[in-house]
Short mmCIF file of all heavy atoms in Angstrom, two decimals:
data_model
loop_
_atom_site.label_atom_id
_atom_site.label_comp_id
_atom_site.label_asym_id
_atom_site.label_seq_id
_atom_site.Cartn_x
_atom_site.Cartn_y
_atom_site.Cartn_z
N SER A 1 109.60 -239.79 -151.13
CA SER A 1 109.67 -240.82 -150.09
C SER A 1 111.10 -241.21 -149.74
O SER A 1 111.45 -241.35 -148.56
CB SER A 1 108.88 -242.05 -150.52
OG SER A 1 109.39 -242.58 -151.73
N ASP A 2 111.95 -241.38 -150.77
CA ASP A 2 113.32 -241.80 -150.48
C ASP A 2 114.09 -240.72 -149.74
O ASP A 2 114.90 -241.01 -148.84
CB ASP A 2 114.03 -242.21 -151.77
CG ASP A 2 114.06 -241.09 -152.81
OD1 ASP A 2 113.22 -240.15 -152.71
OD2 ASP A 2 114.90 -241.14 -153.72
N ARG A 3 113.82 -239.45 -150.11
CA ARG A 3 114.55 -238.36 -149.44
C ARG A 3 114.09 -238.21 -147.99
O ARG A 3 114.94 -238.01 -147.10
CB ARG A 3 114.28 -237.05 -150.19
CG ARG A 3 115.05 -235.85 -149.60
CD ARG A 3 116.55 -236.04 -149.77
NE ARG A 3 117.30 -235.00 -149.08
CZ ARG A 3 117.72 -235.08 -147.81
NH1 ARG A 3 117.42 -236.16 -147.07
NH2 ARG A 3 118.43 -234.11 -147.26
N ILE A 4 112.80 -238.33 -147.72
CA ILE A 4 112.31 -238.22 -146.35
C ILE A 4 112.78 -239.41 -145.51
O ILE A 4 113.08 -239.28 -144.32
CB ILE A 4 110.77 -238.11 -146.33
CG1 ILE A 4 110.33 -236.83 -147.05
CG2 ILE A 4 110.25 -238.11 -144.91
CD1 ILE A 4 110.80 -235.54 -146.43
N ALA A 5 112.86 -240.58 -146.11
CA ALA A 5 113.36 -241.77 -145.39
C ALA A 5 114.82 -241.54 -144.97
O ALA A 5 115.21 -241.89 -143.83
CB ALA A 5 113.23 -243.01 -146.27
N ARG A 6 115.63 -240.95 -145.85
CA ARG A 6 117.03 -240.66 -145.49
C ARG A 6 117.08 -239.60 -144.37
O ARG A 6 117.91 -239.70 -143.46
CB ARG A 6 117.81 -240.17 -146.70
CG ARG A 6 118.14 -241.26 -147.69
CD ARG A 6 119.30 -240.89 -148.60
NE ARG A 6 119.05 -239.63 -149.31
CZ ARG A 6 118.45 -239.56 -150.50
NH1 ARG A 6 118.02 -240.69 -151.08
NH2 ARG A 6 118.27 -238.40 -151.10
N LEU A 7 116.18 -238.62 -144.44
CA LEU A 7 116.14 -237.59 -143.41
C LEU A 7 115.80 -238.20 -142.05
O LEU A 7 116.39 -237.82 -141.02
CB LEU A 7 115.11 -236.52 -143.78
CG LEU A 7 114.95 -235.36 -142.79
CD1 LEU A 7 116.24 -234.56 -142.66
CD2 LEU A 7 113.81 -234.44 -143.21
N ALA A 8 114.85 -239.16 -142.05
CA ALA A 8 114.49 -239.82 -140.79
C ALA A 8 115.69 -240.54 -140.20
O ALA A 8 115.94 -240.47 -138.98
CB ALA A 8 113.34 -240.80 -141.04
N ALA A 9 116.46 -241.21 -141.08
CA ALA A 9 117.65 -241.92 -140.60
C ALA A 9 118.68 -240.93 -140.07
O ALA A 9 119.34 -241.19 -139.03
CB ALA A 9 118.23 -242.76 -141.73
N GLU A 10 118.84 -239.79 -140.76
CA GLU A 10 119.80 -238.78 -140.30
C GLU A 10 119.41 -238.22 -138.94
O GLU A 10 120.27 -237.83 -138.14
CB GLU A 10 119.87 -237.64 -141.33
CG GLU A 10 120.50 -238.06 -142.66
CD GLU A 10 120.28 -237.00 -143.74
OE1 GLU A 10 119.72 -235.92 -143.42
OE2 GLU A 10 120.68 -237.25 -144.91
N ARG A 11 118.11 -238.15 -138.66
CA ARG A 11 117.63 -237.60 -137.39
C ARG A 11 117.52 -238.66 -136.30
O ARG A 11 117.04 -238.38 -135.19
CB ARG A 11 116.28 -236.93 -137.60
CG ARG A 11 116.35 -235.66 -138.45
CD ARG A 11 114.98 -235.04 -138.64
NE ARG A 11 115.06 -233.73 -139.29
CZ ARG A 11 114.01 -232.95 -139.56
NH1 ARG A 11 112.78 -233.36 -139.22
NH2 ARG A 11 114.17 -231.79 -140.13
N GLY A 12 117.89 -239.88 -136.61
CA GLY A 12 117.88 -240.94 -135.61
C GLY A 12 116.55 -241.66 -135.50
O GLY A 12 116.35 -242.44 -134.56
N GLY A 13 115.65 -241.42 -136.43
CA GLY A 13 114.37 -242.10 -136.40
C GLY A 13 114.41 -243.42 -137.15
O GLY A 13 115.45 -243.83 -137.67
N ARG A 14 113.26 -244.07 -137.21
CA ARG A 14 113.19 -245.34 -137.93
C ARG A 14 112.08 -245.26 -138.98
O ARG A 14 111.13 -244.46 -138.85
CB ARG A 14 112.92 -246.52 -136.99
CG ARG A 14 111.52 -246.54 -136.42
CD ARG A 14 111.29 -247.73 -135.51
NE ARG A 14 109.88 -247.84 -135.14
CZ ARG A 14 108.99 -248.53 -135.86
NH1 ARG A 14 109.36 -249.17 -136.95
NH2 ARG A 14 107.72 -248.57 -135.46
N VAL A 15 112.22 -246.08 -140.00
CA VAL A 15 111.22 -246.11 -141.07
C VAL A 15 110.29 -247.29 -140.81
O VAL A 15 110.71 -248.45 -140.87
CB VAL A 15 111.89 -246.27 -142.45
CG1 VAL A 15 110.83 -246.34 -143.54
CG2 VAL A 15 112.85 -245.12 -142.71
N PRO A 16 109.01 -247.01 -140.50
CA PRO A 16 108.07 -248.11 -140.23
C PRO A 16 107.90 -248.99 -141.46
O PRO A 16 107.90 -248.50 -142.61
CB PRO A 16 106.76 -247.36 -139.91
CG PRO A 16 107.16 -245.98 -139.54
CD PRO A 16 108.39 -245.68 -140.34
N PRO A 17 107.75 -250.28 -141.27
CA PRO A 17 107.57 -251.18 -142.42
C PRO A 17 106.27 -250.91 -143.19
O PRO A 17 106.14 -251.31 -144.34
CB PRO A 17 107.55 -252.57 -141.79
CG PRO A 17 107.19 -252.33 -140.35
CD PRO A 17 107.76 -251.00 -139.99
N GLU A 18 105.32 -250.22 -142.56
CA GLU A 18 104.06 -249.93 -143.24
C GLU A 18 104.18 -248.79 -144.26
O GLU A 18 103.26 -248.57 -145.05
CB GLU A 18 102.99 -249.54 -142.20
CG GLU A 18 102.63 -250.64 -141.21
CD GLU A 18 103.55 -250.63 -140.00
OE1 GLU A 18 104.51 -249.83 -139.99
OE2 GLU A 18 103.31 -251.45 -139.07
N LEU A 19 105.31 -248.04 -144.23
CA LEU A 19 105.43 -246.87 -145.11
C LEU A 19 105.52 -247.28 -146.58
O LEU A 19 104.79 -246.73 -147.43
CB LEU A 19 106.65 -246.03 -144.73
CG LEU A 19 106.91 -244.83 -145.65
CD1 LEU A 19 105.78 -243.82 -145.56
CD2 LEU A 19 108.24 -244.16 -145.30
N GLN A 20 106.39 -248.22 -146.92
CA GLN A 20 106.61 -248.56 -148.32
C GLN A 20 105.34 -249.07 -149.01
O GLN A 20 105.07 -248.69 -150.16
CB GLN A 20 107.75 -249.58 -148.47
CG GLN A 20 108.26 -249.74 -149.88
CD GLN A 20 108.78 -248.45 -150.47
OE1 GLN A 20 109.50 -247.70 -149.80
NE2 GLN A 20 108.39 -248.14 -151.72
N PRO A 21 104.53 -249.93 -148.35
CA PRO A 21 103.27 -250.34 -149.01
C PRO A 21 102.35 -249.15 -149.31
O PRO A 21 101.67 -249.14 -150.35
CB PRO A 21 102.63 -251.29 -147.99
CG PRO A 21 103.79 -251.84 -147.23
CD PRO A 21 104.77 -250.72 -147.13
N LEU A 22 102.30 -248.15 -148.41
CA LEU A 22 101.49 -246.97 -148.67
C LEU A 22 102.01 -246.20 -149.89
O LEU A 22 101.25 -245.77 -150.76
CB LEU A 22 101.48 -246.04 -147.45
CG LEU A 22 100.55 -246.38 -146.29
CD1 LEU A 22 100.71 -245.37 -145.17
CD2 LEU A 22 99.11 -246.43 -146.76
N VAL A 23 103.33 -246.03 -149.95
CA VAL A 23 103.97 -245.33 -151.08
C VAL A 23 103.69 -246.08 -152.38
O VAL A 23 103.32 -245.47 -153.41
CB VAL A 23 105.49 -245.19 -150.84
CG1 VAL A 23 106.18 -244.69 -152.11
CG2 VAL A 23 105.76 -244.25 -149.68
N ASP A 24 103.86 -247.40 -152.35
CA ASP A 24 103.63 -248.19 -153.57
C ASP A 24 102.17 -248.15 -154.01
O ASP A 24 101.87 -248.12 -155.21
CB ASP A 24 104.06 -249.64 -153.33
CG ASP A 24 105.57 -249.79 -153.16
OD1 ASP A 24 106.29 -248.81 -153.51
OD2 ASP A 24 106.02 -250.84 -152.68
N GLU A 25 101.26 -248.15 -153.06
CA GLU A 25 99.84 -248.11 -153.38
C GLU A 25 99.48 -246.83 -154.13
O GLU A 25 98.77 -246.86 -155.14
CB GLU A 25 99.02 -248.20 -152.10
CG GLU A 25 97.51 -248.13 -152.33
CD GLU A 25 96.72 -248.03 -151.04
OE1 GLU A 25 97.33 -248.18 -149.95
OE2 GLU A 25 95.51 -247.77 -151.10
N VAL A 26 100.00 -245.69 -153.67
CA VAL A 26 99.74 -244.40 -154.34
C VAL A 26 100.38 -244.40 -155.72
O VAL A 26 99.77 -243.98 -156.71
CB VAL A 26 100.26 -243.23 -153.49
CG1 VAL A 26 100.15 -241.91 -154.27
CG2 VAL A 26 99.50 -243.13 -152.19
N ALA A 27 101.62 -244.89 -155.80
CA ALA A 27 102.34 -244.88 -157.08
C ALA A 27 101.66 -245.78 -158.10
O ALA A 27 101.55 -245.41 -159.28
CB ALA A 27 103.79 -245.30 -156.86
N ARG A 28 101.22 -246.99 -157.66
CA ARG A 28 100.58 -247.90 -158.59
C ARG A 28 99.27 -247.31 -159.14
O ARG A 28 98.84 -247.65 -160.23
CB ARG A 28 100.31 -249.26 -157.92
CG ARG A 28 101.51 -250.17 -157.89
CD ARG A 28 101.10 -251.60 -157.52
NE ARG A 28 100.51 -251.65 -156.19
CZ ARG A 28 101.20 -251.87 -155.07
NH1 ARG A 28 102.50 -252.07 -155.13
NH2 ARG A 28 100.60 -251.91 -153.89
N GLY A 29 98.64 -246.46 -158.37
CA GLY A 29 97.42 -245.81 -158.83
C GLY A 29 97.66 -244.62 -159.73
O GLY A 29 96.71 -243.93 -160.12
N GLY A 30 98.93 -244.36 -160.08
CA GLY A 30 99.25 -243.25 -160.97
C GLY A 30 99.45 -241.94 -160.25
O GLY A 30 99.63 -240.90 -160.88
N GLY A 31 99.43 -241.97 -158.90
CA GLY A 31 99.64 -240.75 -158.14
C GLY A 31 101.08 -240.56 -157.75
O GLY A 31 101.95 -241.42 -157.97
N THR A 32 101.36 -239.40 -157.17
CA THR A 32 102.70 -239.09 -156.69
C THR A 32 102.65 -239.07 -155.17
O THR A 32 101.90 -238.26 -154.58
CB THR A 32 103.18 -237.74 -157.21
OG1 THR A 32 103.21 -237.77 -158.63
CG2 THR A 32 104.57 -237.41 -156.68
N PRO A 33 103.42 -239.92 -154.49
CA PRO A 33 103.38 -239.95 -153.02
C PRO A 33 104.36 -238.94 -152.42
O PRO A 33 105.52 -238.88 -152.81
CB PRO A 33 103.80 -241.39 -152.70
CG PRO A 33 104.66 -241.80 -153.85
CD PRO A 33 104.21 -241.03 -155.05
N LEU A 34 103.88 -238.13 -151.48
CA LEU A 34 104.73 -237.26 -150.67
C LEU A 34 104.66 -237.75 -149.23
O LEU A 34 103.56 -237.99 -148.71
CB LEU A 34 104.26 -235.81 -150.75
CG LEU A 34 104.34 -235.11 -152.12
CD1 LEU A 34 103.85 -233.68 -152.00
CD2 LEU A 34 105.76 -235.14 -152.66
N VAL A 35 105.80 -237.89 -148.61
CA VAL A 35 105.86 -238.39 -147.25
C VAL A 35 106.08 -237.21 -146.30
O VAL A 35 106.83 -236.29 -146.60
CB VAL A 35 106.99 -239.44 -147.09
CG1 VAL A 35 107.10 -239.90 -145.64
CG2 VAL A 35 106.72 -240.63 -148.00
N VAL A 36 105.41 -237.23 -145.15
CA VAL A 36 105.48 -236.16 -144.16
C VAL A 36 106.20 -236.68 -142.92
O VAL A 36 105.93 -237.80 -142.45
CB VAL A 36 104.07 -235.65 -143.80
CG1 VAL A 36 104.17 -234.50 -142.79
CG2 VAL A 36 103.33 -235.20 -145.06
N ILE A 37 107.09 -235.85 -142.37
CA ILE A 37 107.84 -236.21 -141.17
C ILE A 37 107.83 -235.02 -140.21
O ILE A 37 107.90 -233.86 -140.64
CB ILE A 37 109.29 -236.63 -141.52
CG1 ILE A 37 110.03 -237.10 -140.27
CG2 ILE A 37 110.04 -235.48 -142.19
CD1 ILE A 37 111.44 -237.66 -140.56
N GLN A 38 107.70 -235.31 -138.91
CA GLN A 38 107.84 -234.28 -137.88
C GLN A 38 109.00 -234.69 -136.98
O GLN A 38 108.96 -235.75 -136.35
CB GLN A 38 106.56 -234.14 -137.04
CG GLN A 38 106.66 -233.03 -135.99
CD GLN A 38 105.39 -232.88 -135.19
OE1 GLN A 38 104.67 -233.86 -134.98
NE2 GLN A 38 105.10 -231.67 -134.73
N ASN A 39 110.03 -233.85 -136.98
CA ASN A 39 111.28 -234.16 -136.28
C ASN A 39 111.83 -235.49 -136.82
O ASN A 39 112.18 -235.57 -137.98
CB ASN A 39 111.08 -234.16 -134.77
CG ASN A 39 110.66 -232.76 -134.27
OD1 ASN A 39 111.09 -231.75 -134.83
ND2 ASN A 39 109.86 -232.72 -133.22
N ASP A 40 111.81 -236.57 -136.01
CA ASP A 40 112.31 -237.86 -136.52
C ASP A 40 111.21 -238.88 -136.69
O ASP A 40 111.46 -240.08 -136.89
CB ASP A 40 113.38 -238.42 -135.58
CG ASP A 40 112.85 -238.70 -134.18
OD1 ASP A 40 111.68 -238.33 -133.91
OD2 ASP A 40 113.60 -239.27 -133.36
N ARG A 41 109.95 -238.43 -136.62
CA ARG A 41 108.80 -239.35 -136.66
C ARG A 41 108.08 -239.23 -138.00
O ARG A 41 107.60 -238.16 -138.37
CB ARG A 41 107.84 -238.99 -135.52
CG ARG A 41 106.60 -239.85 -135.46
CD ARG A 41 105.62 -239.25 -134.48
NE ARG A 41 104.37 -240.02 -134.40
CZ ARG A 41 103.23 -239.50 -134.00
NH1 ARG A 41 103.15 -238.20 -133.67
NH2 ARG A 41 102.14 -240.25 -133.95
N LEU A 42 108.01 -240.34 -138.71
CA LEU A 42 107.28 -240.38 -139.98
C LEU A 42 105.79 -240.47 -139.70
O LEU A 42 105.35 -241.28 -138.85
CB LEU A 42 107.73 -241.57 -140.82
CG LEU A 42 109.15 -241.43 -141.42
CD1 LEU A 42 109.69 -242.77 -141.85
CD2 LEU A 42 109.14 -240.47 -142.60
N LEU A 43 104.98 -239.65 -140.42
CA LEU A 43 103.56 -239.53 -140.13
C LEU A 43 102.66 -240.23 -141.14
O LEU A 43 101.59 -240.72 -140.79
CB LEU A 43 103.15 -238.06 -140.04
CG LEU A 43 103.93 -237.22 -139.03
CD1 LEU A 43 103.54 -235.75 -139.16
CD2 LEU A 43 103.67 -237.71 -137.62
N GLY A 44 103.05 -240.22 -142.41
CA GLY A 44 102.19 -240.83 -143.43
C GLY A 44 102.47 -240.26 -144.81
O GLY A 44 103.49 -239.59 -145.04
N VAL A 45 101.52 -240.49 -145.70
CA VAL A 45 101.69 -240.16 -147.13
C VAL A 45 100.56 -239.27 -147.59
O VAL A 45 99.39 -239.48 -147.22
CB VAL A 45 101.73 -241.46 -147.98
CG1 VAL A 45 101.79 -241.11 -149.46
CG2 VAL A 45 102.90 -242.33 -147.57
#
């Protein structure tokens, strides 16, 4: 998640405020969150 967030910033995109709660929800459940991005647009987890 942190690496994809930096990539979004490098590409001129923005990180939606809804992303971190999704990442935390997966992590708190013992899972590993992977974030997906297309060009500069973040899509989800």
Side-chain angles (χ1 to χ4, degrees):
S1 59
D2 57 340
R3 182 66 187 89
I4 297 298
R6 287 201 303 271
L7 180 63
E10 292 168 4
R11 292 179 172 181
R14 71 179 188 89
V15 178
E18 296 87 356
L19 177 64
Q20 194 58 44
L22 280 179
V23 170
D24 292 345
E25 178 188 351
V26 173
R28 278 194 298 269
T32 300
L34 295 181
V35 177
V36 182
I37 184 174
Q38 182 180 30
N39 297 328
D40 62 353
R41 180 191 178 204
L42 288 162
L43 304 174
V45 176

